[in-house]
Amino acid sequence: MSTAGSSRRIAIVGSGFSGVAVAWQLLGGLPSGSRITLINGSGRFARGLAYGTQSADHLLNVPAGRMSLDPAQPEHFVQWLRAAGSPSAQGSEFVSRRRYGDYLQASLEARIASRPDVALDPRVTAVTDVTPHAGRWQLQFSDGSTDLFDAVVLAIGHLAPRPPHPGLVGLAGYAADPWAETALEGLAPDASLALIGSGLTMLDVLISLRARGHAGPVLALSRRGLLPQGHRRNEGPPQPWALDPAIAAGRPLREQLRRFRAELARAQAAGVDWRDVWAAFRADTPRAWRALDAWGRRQFLRHLLPYWDVHRHRAAPQARAVLEDDLASGRLRHAAGRLIGVDARADRLHLHWRARGRAEVETFSAARVINCSGPSSVIDAESSPLLWRLQQAGRLQPCPHGLGLLVDEQHQVRDAHGRGQAGLHYIGPHLRAQLWEATAVPELREHAAQLAAQLLRR
C-alpha cells in the first residue's frame, strides 16, 4: 500500500466489473486523502449487465478458477466462495453470475474498509459530458451540477442491442431488452415465443423460461442458425498446445484461417480437445487482430464472426444441457434465416422470415418477440448519450468498424485526431476495437491493473 504523495480525485463512470476492478486496484495504492467517485446511473454497483441477474440459474460461462478479480491471486474468487458458505468449491465449477456479483461487491467493500484514509464515494446519477478544464476534467451530471477530477475513467460496458428489424420497434409484445423485468412478464405457460438471435443471450432466456414453467413453442432465429458450444464438465486448465506462430504473424485472413483449421485437425489427430487450441490462441488474438488490415477485419466481421462467437464464448455445461433438452423435445426450433417483415394482428406478432438459401417466406406467430441479438458496440445518441456527446465534440474517436472506441497504449481515449488525452481513460469491452480479445474477466482484470498502475504513477 502506498500513501505517499499528493492526494488525487478520480472519477470512474460505470460500476460493472471494469469499474469495480479499477477502483479495487486504486484503493491499494492511492495516497491518503484521495477520493474515488464511482458513478452509475442505475444504482447497481458491482453488478452491471452480466452480474445483475437475480436468477440463480444464470451461470458464469467461465469456470470459477479463472474469475479472480486480482490477476496476482488466481484463487481469490474460489477462496472467497469457500469462506462464504461453499467450503467444497472448486475452480472447475460454473457458479451463478449473481454469486459472482456478490463476490465483486464483497471484495470492493473489504478493500474500502482496509483504506479508511481514502474515500470511495458512490454516486447514483448519469454523466452527460466530460470536458477539459484547467488541466483537469470536469464532469457534468444529469441534474446540471458539475465536479472536477484529476482523472476520469470511462468504464462503460456493453451497449443495448440494436433492433433486429425496424418494424418491431414500438410494437406491444416486443421486448427490446431481454434483461428487463417486463421481458417475460405476463406470459402464459403455453405461449409461443420468437427469440431473435441464437447465442448466449437466447440461452439465458430459455433458462429463465424453464424456471417460470413455460412449455410453449419457441423459435430461435438468427442469420446462420448457429448455437453456442459448451464447456467441458469440470473444466480445468487447458491442455498445453504449441500453436503455429504464423497464425498471428501478420498473414492475410484467408491464410490465418487455413492455418487455424490445420491446427484443429492436428490437435484432433493427437487426441487434444479443440477447446485447448482456442485457449492456446487466446493470448495471441490481440496480435493477430492488429495484424489484419482494414479489409481483413471487415471480412472477418462479415463472414467469420458468428463462428468465432459460438466457439470462443461457450456456455456452461448445465446451460448447454437445457438447450439440448429443449431441442430434443421439439419445444425449441432453431433456424438460419433473415427477418424480413412483421405485423401485429389479434394480440400477436406475425414474423415473416426467409430461411437461409431459400426463396419462400415463412411466417411464425408469437405472443412475444424478444431481442436476443446480443449487445451492441456501435456508438450513437440512443445507445450511449455520453459517448456520442464525446464523439460529436471531437473528444472520442470511434472504431471505423463499429466495435467501440480507440485508445492509446495508456488506455487514454483518442480524440478525433487520434491523440491520446491525458487523464481521460477507457476500460471495458469496447477495447476489442483494437485488441479483439478484451471482453472477458481474464483480460479485463489485466487491463484494470495496468490502468490503475498508470494512474498511480501520475
Side-chain angles (χ1 to χ4, degrees):
M1 180 188 303
S2 172
T3 57
S6 302
S7 62
R8 306 286 307 285
R9 295 201 69 203
I10 297 176
I12 301 176
V13 184
S15 64
F17 175 84
S18 296
V20 167
V22 172
W24 189 87
Q25 292 283 354
L26 287 173
L27 283 165
L30 278 173
S32 294
S34 295
R35 176 178 294 272
I36 301 171
T37 301
L38 189 57
I39 305 161
N40 190 317
S42 72
R44 297 193 306 171
F45 294 93
R47 299 293 166 173
L49 177 65
Y51 313 121
T53 176
Q54 295 302 305
S55 172
D57 298 318
H58 289 157
L59 304 180
L60 293 170
N61 296 317
V62 179
R66 304 179 204 168
M67 292 293 287
S68 169
L69 174 64
D70 185 3
Q73 302 180 66
E75 291 293 309
H76 192 256
F77 178 40
V78 176
Q79 291 170 356
W80 180 87
L81 286 170
R82 292 170 181 167
S86 301
S88 61
Q90 300 296 318
S92 59
E93 296 177 15
F94 294 83
V95 303
S96 75
R97 300 206 295 268
R98 183 177 68 183
R99 192 77 169 131
Y100 189 69
D102 294 341
Y103 159 71
L104 293 179
Q105 184 171 345
S107 298
L108 182 60
E109 290 172 351
R111 196 74 145 184
I112 293 170
S114 74
R115 289 300 308 274
D117 58 325
V118 174
L120 189 139
D121 175 27
R123 185 163 180 175
V124 181
T125 186
V127 177
T128 58
D129 203 359
V130 182
T131 55
H133 183 86
R136 304 174 81 192
W137 289 92
Q138 178 174 277
L139 265 60
Q140 181 170 324
F141 301 101
S142 54
D143 63 0
S145 64
T146 61
D147 206 348
L148 285 174
F149 298 90
D150 300 306
V152 174
V153 177
L154 302 176
I156 297 169
H158 292 294
L159 307 182
R162 300 174 75 81
H165 190 279
L168 286 167
V169 178
L171 292 180
Y174 169 58
D177 181 0
W179 304 109
E181 294 182 3
T182 56
L184 303 179
E185 197 173 74
L187 274 176
D190 60 348
S192 59
L193 271 80
L195 309 181
I196 310 301
S198 61
L200 293 174
T201 303
M202 176 274 297
L203 189 46
D204 278 344
V205 172
L206 283 181
I207 291 169
S208 296
L209 288 169
R210 173 175 286 200
R212 288 169 169 259
H214 181 268
V218 178
L219 170 68
L221 179 66
S222 63
R223 294 286 182 89
R224 290 176 174 80
L226 300 174
L227 297 172
Q229 297 293 311
H231 284 284
R232 292 165 287 197
R233 290 192 176 274
N234 299 316
E235 179 154 307
Q239 182 174 336
W241 180 257
L243 196 71
D244 179 358
I247 291 176
R251 308 284 180 171
L253 178 63
R254 187 181 296 274
E255 183 177 344
Q256 286 193 29
L257 178 60
R258 179 180 60 80
R259 287 177 179 271
F260 193 77
R261 284 173 168 166
E263 287 293 290
L264 292 171
R266 187 163 67 91
Q268 183 179 23
V272 174
D273 192 285
W274 62 269
R275 298 169 182 84
D276 295 330
V277 180
W278 283 83
F281 184 49
R282 185 166 180 168
D284 284 330
T285 303
R287 186 161 63 97
W289 178 252
R290 283 175 161 168
L292 289 176
D293 59 17
W295 183 88
R297 293 185 184 188
R298 285 195 299 270
Q299 290 299 100
F300 176 87
L301 295 171
R302 181 176 181 180
H303 299 293
L304 298 181
L305 177 58
Y307 300 95
W308 171 276
D309 281 346
V310 298
H311 289 89
R312 167 64 186 86
H313 302 291
R314 301 186 289 275
Q318 301 93 318
R320 174 71 192 190
V322 171
L323 176 64
E324 293 170 354
D325 287 348
D326 282 350
L327 288 169
S329 69
R331 172 175 175 253
L332 172 66
R333 175 191 177 191
H334 79 285
R338 181 188 296 270
L339 183 60
I340 59 175
V342 58
D343 60 84
R345 288 180 280 112
D347 297 326
R348 299 181 71 81
L349 296 178
H350 303 273
L351 304 183
H352 310 295
W353 60 281
R354 181 179 291 115
R356 188 176 176 87
R358 304 185 66 176
E360 59 268 27
V361 174
E362 298 187 43
T363 298
F364 182 83
S365 298
R368 189 76 49 87
V369 177
I370 302 176
N371 185 359
C372 297
S373 60
S376 171
S377 55
V378 177
I379 297 170
D380 57 31
E382 184 175 354
S383 66
S384 178
L386 174 58
L387 296 182
W388 177 250
R389 174 76 185 94
L390 294 177
Q391 179 180 327
Q392 295 302 106
R395 292 191 292 276
L396 180 152
Q397 187 176 77
C399 170
H401 307 292
L403 296 175
L405 55 92
L406 303 183
V407 300
D408 65 12
E409 296 299 321
Q410 286 75 47
H411 296 86
Q412 295 177 148
V413 177
R414 294 187 184 274
D415 65 15
H417 303 288
R419 300 173 300 211
Q421 300 165 90
L424 180 61
H425 303 263
Y426 175 79
I427 181 174
H430 301 299
L431 289 175
R432 73 174 187 157
Q434 289 164 259
L435 303 173
W436 189 254
E437 191 65 72
T439 61
V441 164
E443 283 76 31
L444 288 175
R445 67 188 179 194
E446 295 284 354
H447 288 292
Q450 293 165 14
L451 175 53
Q454 291 155 5
L455 289 169
L456 294 173
R457 282 196 296 271
R458 293 179 185 276

